[in-house]
Amino acid sequence: GLATKLGALRASFPFLLPTKLEYVHINPPLNMRLWSDANAFSTTLAGLFSFAPFWGGVALFVLVQLGTLAITGDSFFGKLTGGVVESVGESQGLAIKWHMCTGSAMWALAFVQIFLTRLRKGEFAWVHRWCGRAMLLLWFLICGPTAAYLSLYCSPGPYNLQVTMSMFAVVSLDTTVLASYYFWRGWLVAMRRKRGSESMALHGRAMTVGLTFTML
């Protein structure tokens, strides 16, 4: 019947219609070039996120964003683009403030999660777990929804840049959805741990990819 055919289709294409709660990241059932490219990309990201100067750059950006907001009353990109991108002076100003503040807190928690590897095991492992939960709560309750809202209701600004801001809206909404997907999948993998240490390695890669999409 139809149900049997759908089940066979799902089993034949596990990457398009997954039947399990996590993917394998070594020797996948379909030998696709795209998979090897994605695997190499996630490996590169894992190395980047373990690099101290990268987090120095993140800290600098957060300080510039929050400092510009505190001193000028507008966001850094709002001042840089003359009130076009992420300007607090627009009608979405309150949502932008919430997005900036929760996004900064989320990246601070991500620093604890990813860079402070000693907290993943031992007596302080609870710090790692609770920082991860707080980071995901910030994303799914505030930062992610405000990102989606600002993508859909972004203003063309004082220069009426309709085409440019339409392109910005599409890219921003796309990266918001992708970040949410990788955060959700990474959390599921960590909860299930079907393959032990391999599951946790996959969890780490999913979370770093999700964080990368929040920057775009």
Side-chain angles (χ1 to χ4, degrees):
L2 179 60
T4 303
K5 292 180 180 179
L6 287 176
L9 180 64
R10 288 167 64 91
S12 300
F13 298 95
F15 282 85
L16 301 180
L17 300 168
T19 57
K20 298 180 181 180
L21 287 175
E22 62 176 279
Y23 302 140
V24 290
H25 68 288
I26 298 176
N27 299 323
L30 293 181
N31 186 16
M32 299 183 298
R33 186 180 67 179
L34 288 177
W35 172 255
S36 62
D37 292 342
N39 196 30
F41 175 68
S42 64
T43 302
T44 302
L45 283 181
L48 177 64
F49 276 68
S50 63
F51 194 46
F54 168 79
W55 289 104
V58 171
L60 178 62
F61 175 76
V62 170
L63 289 174
V64 169
Q65 272 277 54
L66 298 181
T68 304
L69 179 64
I71 296 172
T72 68
D74 202 354
S75 69
F76 172 72
F77 287 111
K79 298 295 292 184
L80 189 66
T81 60
V84 177
V85 179
E86 296 183 3
S87 176
V88 176
E90 298 291 334
S91 59
Q92 306 87 0
L94 181 61
I96 292 174
K97 287 183 179 180
W98 275 100
H99 181 75
M100 289 173 54
C101 294
T102 55
S104 300
M106 190 184 77
W107 272 89
L109 292 168
F111 170 77
V112 176
Q113 282 287 98
I114 297 174
F115 191 74
L116 302 182
T117 56
R118 294 183 179 180
L119 297 180
R120 296 178 185 177
K121 298 179 181 179
E123 60 179 329
F124 294 108
W126 63 271
V127 176
H128 177 81
R129 290 193 296 269
W130 279 103
C131 283
R133 292 165 185 167
M135 188 189 79
L136 291 178
L137 284 174
L138 283 176
W139 173 257
F140 284 107
L141 293 181
I142 304 176
C143 199
T146 54
Y149 169 77
L150 293 171
S151 300
L152 293 172
Y153 294 96
C154 61
S155 169
Y159 304 108
N160 199 28
L161 302 176
Q162 297 287 347
V163 176
T164 301
M165 295 310 295
S166 295
M167 294 172 61
F168 169 82
V170 172
V171 173
S172 181
L173 187 60
D174 183 48
T175 55
T176 300
V177 172
L178 288 171
S180 300
Y181 170 79
Y182 280 104
F183 282 149
W184 177 254
R185 295 296 300 183
W187 178 78
L188 279 181
V189 169
M191 292 296 293
R192 300 292 176 175
R193 300 191 191 186
K194 284 189 173 183
R195 297 176 181 85
S197 60
E198 289 186 358
S199 291
M200 297 312 295
L202 180 59
H203 159 74
R205 292 189 179 195
M207 300 304 282
T208 53
V209 172
L211 277 169
T212 301
F213 278 118
T214 68
M215 294 190 297
L216 303 178

